[in-house]
Amino acid sequence: MDDAGVVRLGSAGAEGMCLVQTVDYFPPVVDDPYLYGAVAAANSLSDVYAMGGQPLSALNLAGFPPGFSDEWMMEIFRGGFDKVREAGAVLAGGHTVRSQEPQFGFSVTGLVHENDVIDNEGAKAGDVLYLTKPLGMGPITAANRKGVLSAEDLALAGKVMATLNRDAAKAMVAAGAHAATDITGFGLVGHSFNIAKASDVTLRFDTQALPLFPGALELAKQGVLSGGCARGRDAVGEHVATASDVNASLADILFDAETSGGLLISIPESAEARLQDELAKLDVMVERVGHVTPAGSHRIHLD
Ligand code: CO
Ligand code: CO
């Protein structure tokens, strides 16, 4: 293997093409090593998709404690590399170190045409908001760590987390989304706040319409959440207005961390039908979850 991967860009017809570069890695979120690798890869690739880009190449970052099972290590790599291949990206190299706990992820480089870049600052009052994966991975992964999650729920959660945001991204680019982000460590509220602030608008969520992972609400009611919930409330709680009839445990989930979550898409109402069509064609789950208003006294409303 060379010291670094080199990818040639076509010279003719490459005008306006931009590189999208991102890096992310985290400790195991599921017990199945293959699935952990796949989820970590899907999560790393997701930031490229959230910008409207296509992944081109990926560099692997891994850390394992001394004495870590070789067999598990190979499975984690296999899960990650299979997912990179599924995304159509080239695995250009990587680096593995010793670490206290396992860590696994990728630095991903993607391509996007300057006209297709979808960032955080384009949301406009009057837009509608769509979400492409269910919420609640905080309680689910916390329950898994406690050993109280059923095998079926874990398998379903793993499948959702390992699903690429590729098709959701394709659909939002085709439909002309104004802004988008992927819902990961800062949870729905934290990532929505970034869009609201960058776009100088307020996002209003219809909490009844938010898709939840089965069992997540029951777990949250028992106080099973990741540490992300408290951090989220500390970080952006003052910018969030929660209606008095919103279930407190549901609100906890919205502040809690997600892992490899879906895209939150802000799109003009006129393009809504197009987005729904595109997503249905590609078989992507989608829910209309709210709308955008001019900036008010709070950046986020949970209605
Ligand atoms: Co990240
Ligand atoms: Co992101």
Side-chain angles (χ1 to χ4, degrees):
M1 188 81 72
D2 291 318
D3 293 308
V6 180
V7 179
R8 192 191 307 270
L9 287 177
S11 49
E15 298 84 8
M17 292 311 291
C18 310
L19 287 180
V20 190
Q21 296 183 295
T22 178
V23 59
D24 212 346
Y25 56 88
F26 47 60
V29 287
V30 291
D31 309 323
D32 178 324
Y34 180 88
L35 199 52
Y36 164 46
V39 169
N43 177 72
S44 299
L45 291 154
S46 176
D47 277 326
V48 170
Y49 292 129
M51 301 295 298
Q54 283 298 319
L56 183 68
S57 64
L59 296 167
N60 177 237
L61 299 125
F64 298 105
F68 191 80
S69 150
D70 279 350
E71 199 184 317
W72 278 49
M73 211 185 291
M74 296 321 292
E75 280 297 283
I76 294 170
F77 283 124
R78 198 168 65 83
F81 297 171
D82 279 355
K83 192 54 69 174
V84 167
R85 257 193 299 275
E86 182 189 332
V90 174
L91 184 70
H95 188 63
T96 301
V97 297
R98 280 189 173 208
S99 60
Q100 216 139 34
E101 62 177 338
Q103 299 279 357
F104 190 79
F106 292 85
S107 167
V108 181
T109 297
L111 278 179
V112 63
H113 193 275
E114 57 189 355
N115 297 339
D116 291 338
V117 174
I118 298 176
D119 54 23
N120 282 0
E121 59 182 48
K124 292 188 174 54
D127 281 3
V128 289
L129 299 170
Y130 276 82
L131 183 65
T132 66
K133 281 190 192 180
L135 300 167
M137 289 306 156
I140 295 291
T141 53
N144 181 46
R145 270 193 299 274
K146 288 184 160 200
V148 299
L149 193 69
S150 74
E152 293 104 301
D153 280 354
L154 180 60
L156 181 56
K159 197 177 157 211
V160 170
M161 289 189 280
T163 298
L164 291 173
N165 281 328
R166 174 188 53 202
D167 293 346
K170 213 182 279 176
M172 77 168 176
V173 171
H178 279 160
T181 190
D182 57 339
I183 306 301
T184 56
F186 298 121
L188 179 76
V189 168
H191 289 285
S192 299
F193 175 75
N194 291 340
I195 287 193
K197 193 174 168 212
S199 304
D200 194 22
V201 292
T202 284
L203 305 196
R204 295 195 79 122
F205 289 97
D206 173 4
T207 57
Q208 299 287 325
L210 290 167
L212 286 184
F213 196 80
L217 188 59
E218 287 63 35
L219 289 165
K221 282 178 181 163
Q222 296 158 31
V224 180
L225 295 158
S226 85
C229 178
R231 282 196 299 275
R233 284 196 188 274
D234 274 357
V236 295
E238 60 178 309
H239 303 290
V240 181
T242 306
S244 59
D245 59 347
V246 172
N247 182 291
S249 301
L250 173 59
D252 283 343
I253 291 178
L254 308 184
F255 277 96
D256 202 5
E258 298 291 335
T259 302
S260 193
L263 298 183
L264 177 71
I265 302 168
S266 184
I267 189 156
E269 213 165 5
S270 58
E272 211 179 347
R274 175 86 198 273
L275 180 71
Q276 285 177 354
D277 276 5
E278 295 286 341
L279 288 166
K281 250 193 288 181
L282 296 165
D283 209 16
V284 181
M285 180 225 89
V286 68
E287 296 290 346
R288 178 179 171 161
V289 296
H291 63 283
V292 181
T293 69
S297 52
H298 293 89
R299 288 291 180 193
I300 307 286
H301 278 257
L302 302 178
D303 296 326

